[in-house]
Amino acid sequence: MPNKIAVEARNAVKVFGQGDTSHSALNDVSISIKQGEFFTLLGPSGCGKTTLLRLIAGFETPTSGQILLDGADITALPPNKRAVNTVFQSYALFPHLTVAQNVGFGLQMQGRPKAEVKATTAEMLALVKLDAMADRKISQLSGGQQQRVALARALAPKPKVLLLDEPLSALDAKLRKDMQIELKRLQHETGITFIFVTHDQEEALTMSDRIAVMSAGNILQIGAPRDIYVKPANRFVASFIGETNFLPGTTAPGGVRLDCGATVAVDGSFMPGKVTLAVRPEQVRVQGAGTAGAIPAIITNWVYFGTDTHCYLVLSDGSPVVARLQSPAMGEAGLEIGASVGVTFAPGAAQVLKD
Protein backbone atom coordinates (compact mmCIF):
# COMPACT_ATOMS: atom_id res chain seq x y z
CA MET A 1 0.00 0.00 0.00
CA PRO A 2 1.66 3.22 -1.15
CA ASN A 3 0.25 5.36 1.66
CA LYS A 4 0.97 2.98 4.52
CA ILE A 5 2.56 4.72 7.53
CA ALA A 6 6.01 3.37 8.38
CA VAL A 7 6.93 5.58 11.36
CA GLU A 8 4.75 7.70 13.58
CA ALA A 9 5.45 9.96 16.54
CA ARG A 10 2.40 10.81 18.62
CA ASN A 11 2.56 13.83 20.93
CA ALA A 12 6.26 13.22 21.56
CA VAL A 13 7.75 15.31 24.35
CA LYS A 14 11.39 15.13 25.41
CA VAL A 15 12.69 17.07 28.40
CA PHE A 16 16.33 16.82 29.48
CA GLY A 17 17.22 17.55 33.11
CA GLN A 18 14.93 18.47 36.00
CA GLY A 19 13.64 21.56 37.72
CA ASP A 20 15.27 24.89 36.89
CA THR A 21 17.94 23.20 34.77
CA SER A 22 15.48 21.29 32.57
CA HIS A 23 15.40 21.84 28.82
CA SER A 24 12.56 20.92 26.49
CA ALA A 25 14.00 19.46 23.26
CA LEU A 26 10.65 18.39 21.74
CA ASN A 27 7.28 20.01 22.39
CA ASP A 28 4.31 17.71 21.70
CA VAL A 29 5.56 16.66 18.25
CA SER A 30 3.33 14.47 16.06
CA ILE A 31 4.46 13.25 12.67
CA SER A 32 3.62 10.44 10.21
CA ILE A 33 6.19 9.15 7.69
CA LYS A 34 5.05 6.99 4.80
CA GLN A 35 6.50 3.65 3.83
CA GLY A 36 9.18 3.98 1.15
CA GLU A 37 9.48 7.73 1.66
CA PHE A 38 12.65 9.84 1.76
CA PHE A 39 11.72 12.11 4.65
CA THR A 40 13.98 14.89 5.94
CA LEU A 41 14.04 16.62 9.33
CA LEU A 42 15.48 20.05 8.61
CA GLY A 43 16.41 22.85 10.98
CA PRO A 44 19.22 24.70 12.77
CA SER A 45 21.33 23.23 15.55
CA GLY A 46 19.31 22.64 18.72
CA CYS A 47 15.92 22.53 16.96
CA GLY A 48 15.17 18.95 18.09
CA LYS A 49 15.68 17.07 14.82
CA THR A 50 18.40 14.72 16.13
CA THR A 51 16.45 14.18 19.36
CA LEU A 52 13.44 13.04 17.33
CA LEU A 53 15.68 10.72 15.29
CA ARG A 54 17.10 9.23 18.50
CA LEU A 55 13.59 8.60 19.83
CA ILE A 56 12.80 6.64 16.65
CA ALA A 57 16.10 4.73 16.94
CA GLY A 58 15.51 3.93 20.62
CA PHE A 59 18.62 5.73 21.90
CA GLU A 60 16.35 8.09 23.87
CA THR A 61 12.99 7.53 25.53
CA PRO A 62 10.28 10.21 25.23
CA THR A 63 9.26 12.00 28.42
CA SER A 64 5.72 11.44 27.16
CA GLY A 65 4.13 10.34 23.90
CA GLN A 66 4.58 7.32 21.65
CA ILE A 67 6.76 6.07 18.79
CA LEU A 68 5.17 3.58 16.39
CA LEU A 69 6.69 1.39 13.67
CA ASP A 70 4.25 -0.14 11.16
CA GLY A 71 1.45 0.70 13.59
CA ALA A 72 3.05 -1.12 16.56
CA ASP A 73 4.06 0.82 19.68
CA ILE A 74 7.87 0.52 20.02
CA THR A 75 8.31 3.29 22.60
CA ALA A 76 9.70 0.93 25.25
CA LEU A 77 11.72 -1.33 22.95
CA PRO A 78 15.54 -1.12 23.07
CA PRO A 79 17.39 -0.23 19.84
CA ASN A 80 18.40 -3.82 19.05
CA LYS A 81 14.75 -4.91 19.09
CA ARG A 82 13.67 -2.38 16.46
CA ALA A 83 13.75 -3.02 12.70
CA VAL A 84 15.66 0.24 12.34
CA ASN A 85 19.30 1.02 11.56
CA THR A 86 21.24 4.27 11.91
CA VAL A 87 24.09 5.87 9.94
CA PHE A 88 25.89 8.48 12.06
CA GLN A 89 28.09 11.48 11.24
CA SER A 90 31.12 9.41 12.23
CA TYR A 91 30.90 6.19 10.28
CA ALA A 92 32.24 4.04 13.18
CA LEU A 93 33.85 1.51 10.84
CA PHE A 94 36.31 -1.11 12.12
CA PRO A 95 39.79 -0.21 10.78
CA HIS A 96 41.19 -3.72 11.36
CA LEU A 97 38.50 -5.34 9.18
CA THR A 98 38.17 -5.37 5.41
CA VAL A 99 35.35 -3.63 3.58
CA ALA A 100 33.43 -6.90 3.21
CA GLN A 101 33.96 -7.81 6.88
CA ASN A 102 32.63 -4.41 7.96
CA VAL A 103 29.52 -4.82 5.83
CA GLY A 104 28.84 -8.34 7.09
CA PHE A 105 29.62 -7.61 10.75
CA GLY A 106 26.05 -6.88 11.84
CA LEU A 107 24.73 -9.99 10.11
CA GLN A 108 27.35 -12.12 11.88
CA MET A 109 26.35 -10.64 15.24
CA GLN A 110 22.76 -11.69 14.48
CA GLY A 111 23.94 -15.28 13.96
CA ARG A 112 23.00 -15.42 10.29
CA PRO A 113 24.34 -18.45 8.32
CA LYS A 114 27.73 -17.91 6.66
CA ALA A 115 26.32 -18.40 3.18
CA GLU A 116 23.67 -15.72 3.83
CA VAL A 117 26.25 -13.30 5.22
CA LYS A 118 28.46 -13.79 2.17
CA ALA A 119 25.60 -13.42 -0.32
CA THR A 120 24.09 -10.36 1.38
CA THR A 121 27.50 -8.70 1.74
CA ALA A 122 28.14 -9.16 -1.98
CA GLU A 123 24.67 -7.79 -2.77
CA MET A 124 25.20 -4.68 -0.63
CA LEU A 125 28.68 -4.00 -2.00
CA ALA A 126 27.29 -4.17 -5.53
CA LEU A 127 24.48 -1.83 -4.52
CA VAL A 128 26.93 0.84 -3.31
CA LYS A 129 29.35 0.09 -6.18
CA LEU A 130 32.20 -1.12 -3.97
CA ASP A 131 32.30 -4.80 -4.96
CA ALA A 132 35.78 -4.36 -6.46
CA MET A 133 37.07 -3.11 -3.08
CA ALA A 134 35.73 -5.91 -0.88
CA ASP A 135 39.17 -6.97 0.38
CA ARG A 136 40.58 -3.49 1.06
CA LYS A 137 41.18 -2.10 4.53
CA ILE A 138 39.10 0.91 5.60
CA SER A 139 42.25 3.07 5.76
CA GLN A 140 42.71 2.54 2.02
CA LEU A 141 39.36 4.19 1.19
CA SER A 142 38.42 7.80 0.58
CA GLY A 143 35.87 9.57 2.77
CA GLY A 144 33.11 9.02 0.24
CA GLN A 145 33.94 5.32 -0.07
CA GLN A 146 33.93 4.92 3.72
CA GLN A 147 30.52 6.54 3.81
CA ARG A 148 29.22 4.02 1.29
CA VAL A 149 30.61 1.17 3.41
CA ALA A 150 28.69 2.54 6.40
CA LEU A 151 25.53 2.69 4.27
CA ALA A 152 26.04 -0.87 3.01
CA ARG A 153 26.53 -2.14 6.57
CA ALA A 154 23.34 -0.38 7.73
CA LEU A 155 21.34 -1.70 4.76
CA ALA A 156 22.61 -5.29 5.00
CA PRO A 157 20.09 -6.48 7.66
CA LYS A 158 17.34 -4.99 5.42
CA PRO A 159 15.80 -2.71 8.08
CA LYS A 160 12.31 -1.32 7.64
CA VAL A 161 13.66 2.17 8.29
CA LEU A 162 17.12 3.70 7.81
CA LEU A 163 17.94 6.74 9.95
CA LEU A 164 20.68 9.09 8.72
CA ASP A 165 22.07 11.66 11.16
CA GLU A 166 23.87 14.28 9.01
CA PRO A 167 25.99 11.58 7.31
CA LEU A 168 27.37 13.95 4.65
CA SER A 169 28.68 16.63 7.01
CA ALA A 170 32.32 15.43 6.93
CA LEU A 171 32.57 15.38 3.13
CA ASP A 172 33.84 18.16 0.86
CA ALA A 173 31.37 20.15 -1.24
CA LYS A 174 31.69 18.19 -4.50
CA LEU A 175 31.57 14.81 -2.78
CA ARG A 176 28.51 15.90 -0.81
CA LYS A 177 26.68 16.65 -4.07
CA ASP A 178 27.70 13.27 -5.50
CA MET A 179 26.53 11.47 -2.36
CA GLN A 180 23.19 13.30 -2.41
CA ILE A 181 22.47 11.67 -5.75
CA GLU A 182 23.84 8.34 -4.49
CA LEU A 183 21.63 8.36 -1.39
CA LYS A 184 18.52 9.07 -3.42
CA ARG A 185 19.43 6.24 -5.81
CA LEU A 186 19.92 3.80 -2.92
CA GLN A 187 16.61 4.77 -1.36
CA HIS A 188 14.80 4.33 -4.67
CA GLU A 189 16.41 0.95 -5.42
CA THR A 190 15.90 -0.54 -1.96
CA GLY A 191 12.44 0.94 -1.29
CA ILE A 192 13.42 1.37 2.38
CA THR A 193 12.04 4.34 4.31
CA PHE A 194 14.85 6.87 4.81
CA ILE A 195 14.64 9.48 7.58
CA PHE A 196 17.39 12.03 7.05
CA VAL A 197 18.53 14.74 9.48
CA THR A 198 20.30 17.84 8.20
CA HIS A 199 20.67 21.58 8.67
CA ASP A 200 21.58 21.96 4.99
CA GLN A 201 18.65 23.25 2.94
CA GLU A 202 20.21 22.14 -0.37
CA GLU A 203 20.47 18.55 0.84
CA ALA A 204 16.84 18.64 1.95
CA LEU A 205 15.55 20.13 -1.31
CA THR A 206 17.66 17.81 -3.49
CA MET A 207 16.79 14.44 -1.96
CA SER A 208 13.52 14.59 -0.07
CA ASP A 209 10.02 13.46 -0.94
CA ARG A 210 8.85 15.54 2.02
CA ILE A 211 10.52 17.86 4.52
CA ALA A 212 9.65 18.77 8.09
CA VAL A 213 11.09 22.16 9.04
CA MET A 214 11.81 22.35 12.77
CA SER A 215 12.62 25.15 15.21
CA ALA A 216 12.91 25.20 19.02
CA GLY A 217 11.44 21.71 19.44
CA ASN A 218 8.46 22.31 17.16
CA ILE A 219 7.54 21.30 13.61
CA LEU A 220 6.64 24.47 11.71
CA GLN A 221 5.76 23.00 8.31
CA ILE A 222 5.65 19.63 6.54
CA GLY A 223 5.45 19.34 2.78
CA ALA A 224 7.10 18.55 -0.53
CA PRO A 225 10.27 20.59 -1.22
CA ARG A 226 8.56 22.72 -3.87
CA ASP A 227 5.56 23.45 -1.62
CA ILE A 228 7.76 24.57 1.28
CA TYR A 229 9.93 26.72 -0.98
CA VAL A 230 7.07 28.36 -2.88
CA LYS A 231 4.51 28.58 -0.05
CA PRO A 232 6.41 28.88 3.28
CA ALA A 233 4.14 28.80 6.32
CA ASN A 234 5.87 31.67 8.13
CA ARG A 235 8.88 33.95 8.14
CA PHE A 236 11.19 31.42 9.78
CA VAL A 237 10.54 28.80 7.10
CA ALA A 238 10.91 31.38 4.32
CA SER A 239 14.25 32.58 5.71
CA PHE A 240 15.63 29.10 6.44
CA ILE A 241 14.76 27.61 3.04
CA GLY A 242 16.66 29.64 0.46
CA GLU A 243 17.14 33.38 0.15
CA THR A 244 14.11 35.64 0.55
CA ASN A 245 13.39 39.35 0.29
CA PHE A 246 11.24 40.55 3.21
CA LEU A 247 9.37 43.79 2.54
CA PRO A 248 7.28 45.55 5.23
CA GLY A 249 3.84 46.82 4.29
CA THR A 250 0.16 47.15 5.15
CA THR A 251 -2.83 45.32 3.71
CA ALA A 252 -4.70 47.44 1.16
CA PRO A 253 -7.48 46.94 -1.38
CA GLY A 254 -6.10 44.69 -4.10
CA GLY A 255 -2.92 43.73 -2.31
CA VAL A 256 -0.25 45.06 0.04
CA ARG A 257 0.95 48.65 0.17
CA LEU A 258 4.69 48.56 0.82
CA ASP A 259 6.37 51.09 3.12
CA CYS A 260 7.99 52.57 0.01
CA GLY A 261 4.52 53.51 -1.27
CA ALA A 262 4.04 50.94 -4.03
CA THR A 263 1.12 48.50 -3.98
CA VAL A 264 1.78 44.85 -4.85
CA ALA A 265 -1.04 42.48 -5.86
CA VAL A 266 -1.22 39.28 -3.79
CA ASP A 267 -3.42 36.20 -3.86
CA GLY A 268 -6.00 35.77 -1.09
CA SER A 269 -7.52 38.10 1.48
CA PHE A 270 -5.89 39.13 4.74
CA MET A 271 -6.82 40.86 7.98
CA PRO A 272 -6.13 44.63 7.94
CA GLY A 273 -2.83 45.71 9.42
CA LYS A 274 0.92 45.40 9.12
CA VAL A 275 2.28 42.42 7.17
CA THR A 276 5.53 41.17 5.66
CA LEU A 277 5.75 40.41 1.97
CA ALA A 278 8.20 37.69 0.89
CA VAL A 279 9.62 37.44 -2.63
CA ARG A 280 12.35 35.05 -3.76
CA PRO A 281 15.30 36.73 -5.54
CA GLU A 282 14.78 34.73 -8.75
CA GLN A 283 11.24 36.18 -8.96
CA VAL A 284 12.51 39.78 -8.96
CA ARG A 285 12.82 41.54 -12.33
CA VAL A 286 15.04 44.59 -12.90
CA GLN A 287 13.55 47.01 -15.42
CA GLY A 288 14.51 50.39 -16.80
CA ALA A 289 13.77 53.46 -14.65
CA GLY A 290 10.24 54.75 -15.18
CA THR A 291 8.83 51.43 -16.43
CA ALA A 292 5.06 51.45 -15.89
CA GLY A 293 4.07 49.56 -12.73
CA ALA A 294 7.68 49.11 -11.56
CA ILE A 295 8.84 50.04 -8.07
CA PRO A 296 11.63 52.66 -8.12
CA ALA A 297 14.94 51.34 -6.77
CA ILE A 298 18.68 52.09 -6.84
CA ILE A 299 21.40 49.52 -7.56
CA THR A 300 23.85 49.34 -4.66
CA ASN A 301 26.01 46.43 -5.86
CA TRP A 302 26.11 43.36 -8.07
CA VAL A 303 28.02 40.06 -7.84
CA TYR A 304 28.70 37.67 -10.73
CA PHE A 305 28.27 33.96 -9.84
CA GLY A 306 28.71 32.43 -13.29
CA THR A 307 25.28 31.00 -14.04
CA ASP A 308 23.59 34.02 -12.46
CA THR A 309 24.30 37.54 -11.23
CA HIS A 310 22.99 38.84 -7.91
CA CYS A 311 21.87 42.45 -8.13
CA TYR A 312 21.54 44.32 -4.82
CA LEU A 313 19.03 47.17 -4.71
CA VAL A 314 17.38 49.49 -2.20
CA LEU A 315 13.84 50.89 -2.31
CA SER A 316 12.94 54.47 -1.34
CA ASP A 317 12.12 53.47 2.28
CA GLY A 318 15.52 51.79 2.66
CA SER A 319 14.23 48.21 2.21
CA PRO A 320 16.94 46.04 0.59
CA VAL A 321 16.04 43.81 -2.36
CA VAL A 322 18.14 41.13 -4.06
CA ALA A 323 17.41 40.09 -7.65
CA ARG A 324 18.92 36.88 -9.02
CA LEU A 325 19.35 37.45 -12.74
CA GLN A 326 20.38 34.84 -15.26
CA SER A 327 23.80 35.87 -16.57
CA PRO A 328 24.01 38.01 -18.54
CA ALA A 329 20.38 39.14 -18.18
CA MET A 330 21.16 42.80 -18.76
CA GLY A 331 24.86 42.38 -19.27
CA GLU A 332 26.98 43.55 -16.35
CA ALA A 333 27.43 46.88 -18.12
CA GLY A 334 23.72 47.52 -17.51
CA LEU A 335 24.09 47.01 -13.75
CA GLU A 336 25.73 50.30 -12.89
CA ILE A 337 26.08 50.93 -9.17
CA GLY A 338 24.04 53.97 -8.18
CA ALA A 339 21.76 53.71 -11.22
CA SER A 340 18.01 54.24 -10.86
CA VAL A 341 15.95 51.28 -12.08
CA GLY A 342 12.50 49.76 -11.70
CA VAL A 343 11.67 46.52 -9.87
CA THR A 344 8.77 44.17 -10.63
CA PHE A 345 7.84 40.74 -9.32
CA ALA A 346 6.79 37.67 -11.31
CA PRO A 347 3.01 37.05 -11.19
CA GLY A 348 1.99 35.26 -7.96
CA ALA A 349 5.53 35.45 -6.53
CA ALA A 350 4.76 37.78 -3.59
CA GLN A 351 3.62 35.91 -0.48
CA VAL A 352 2.11 37.42 2.68
CA LEU A 353 3.76 35.83 5.74
CA LYS A 354 2.93 35.46 9.38
CA ASP A 355 5.78 36.72 11.55
Side-chain angles (χ1 to χ4, degrees):
M1 295 177 63
N3 291 323
K4 184 178 179 183
I5 301 303
V7 176
E8 190 174 359
R10 292 182 181 172
N11 306 109
V13 173
K14 182 61 181 179
V15 178
F16 292 100
Q18 295 181 340
D20 295 339
T21 61
S22 66
H23 166 67
S24 180
L26 288 176
N27 305 313
D28 197 28
V29 167
S30 293
I31 194 168
S32 296
I33 300 169
K34 300 171 188 174
Q35 194 173 76
E37 188 172 32
F38 197 121
F39 192 94
T40 296
L41 302 172
L42 173 68
S45 297
C47 71
K49 57 187 186 295
T50 296
T51 299
L52 180 54
L53 197 79
R54 290 177 64 84
L55 293 186
I56 296 169
F59 301 133
E60 300 284 354
T61 302
T63 305
S64 63
Q66 294 175 295
I67 303 296
L68 291 85
L69 178 65
D70 283 348
D73 189 344
I74 61 169
T75 310
L77 287 182
N80 64 323
K81 298 296 184 182
R82 304 183 182 202
V84 171
N85 260 357
T86 306
V87 178
F88 299 99
Q89 290 181 15
S90 59
Y91 310 138
L93 299 173
F94 300 112
H96 62 288
L97 300 181
T98 65
V99 168
Q101 289 168 337
N102 266 278
V103 173
F105 182 81
L107 298 173
Q108 287 183 319
M109 292 299 98
Q110 292 177 351
R112 304 280 184 94
K114 287 185 178 180
E116 180 186 343
V117 172
K118 184 177 180 180
T120 302
T121 297
E123 178 189 352
M124 291 300 107
L125 287 175
L127 183 67
V128 299
K129 301 178 182 178
L130 286 177
D131 37 335
M133 301 183 180
D135 297 325
R136 290 194 185 181
K137 295 290 187 182
I138 296 301
S139 60
Q140 296 175 299
L141 303 183
S142 68
Q145 290 167 339
Q146 290 183 28
Q147 209 248 19
R148 283 191 276 163
V149 174
L151 284 167
R153 183 177 64 183
L155 290 168
K158 295 182 169 58
K160 291 181 179 178
V161 178
L162 185 65
L163 308 176
L164 301 110
D165 187 9
E166 303 205 47
L168 309 184
S169 60
L171 305 179
D172 64 52
K174 185 180 185 305
L175 195 52
R176 285 180 77 153
K177 289 183 181 294
D178 292 342
M179 285 308 302
Q180 288 169 18
I181 297 169
E182 188 74 4
L183 276 175
K184 188 59 181 174
R185 178 188 69 82
L186 289 172
Q187 192 271 331
H188 178 75
E189 290 189 13
T190 62
I192 292 173
T193 303
F194 277 28
I195 304 178
F196 186 86
V197 161
T198 185
H199 63 272
D200 188 307
Q201 54 174 292
E202 182 180 306
E203 286 181 359
L205 292 171
T206 300
M207 297 185 290
S208 312
D209 295 315
R210 286 193 302 155
I211 300 170
V213 182
M214 299 186 67
S215 176
N218 300 296
I219 293 177
L220 302 185
Q221 186 173 0
I222 299 175
R226 182 179 295 276
D227 294 336
I228 287 181
Y229 186 83
V230 174
K231 297 283 187 182
N234 54 40
R235 183 166 182 148
F236 179 89
V237 175
S239 63
F240 197 79
I241 303 284
E243 291 182 79
T244 310
N245 294 299
F246 295 108
L247 303 173
T250 307
T251 53
V256 172
R257 183 177 176 81
L258 301 180
D259 286 2
C260 67
T263 298
V264 179
V266 295
D267 296 330
S269 57
F270 303 92
M271 295 291 291
K274 288 283 188 181
V275 294
T276 298
L277 209 61
V279 185
R280 299 290 187 182
E282 65 272 17
Q283 302 291 348
V284 179
R285 309 288 184 256
V286 179
Q287 316 280 359
T291 300
I295 304 169
I298 295 173
I299 297 176
T300 59
N301 201 359
W302 61 265
V303 180
Y304 177 70
F305 282 92
T307 55
D308 53 37
T309 297
H310 293 195
C311 181
Y312 298 86
L313 310 108
V314 63
L315 306 185
S316 61
D317 67 319
S319 296
V321 174
V322 179
R324 187 178 299 142
L325 311 172
Q326 187 174 357
S327 300
M330 296 175 61
E332 279 67 46
L335 301 178
E336 184 179 347
I337 295 174
S340 295
V341 294
V343 168
T344 59
F345 306 137
Q351 305 292 320
V352 176
L353 294 181
K354 304 177 207 173
D355 289 328

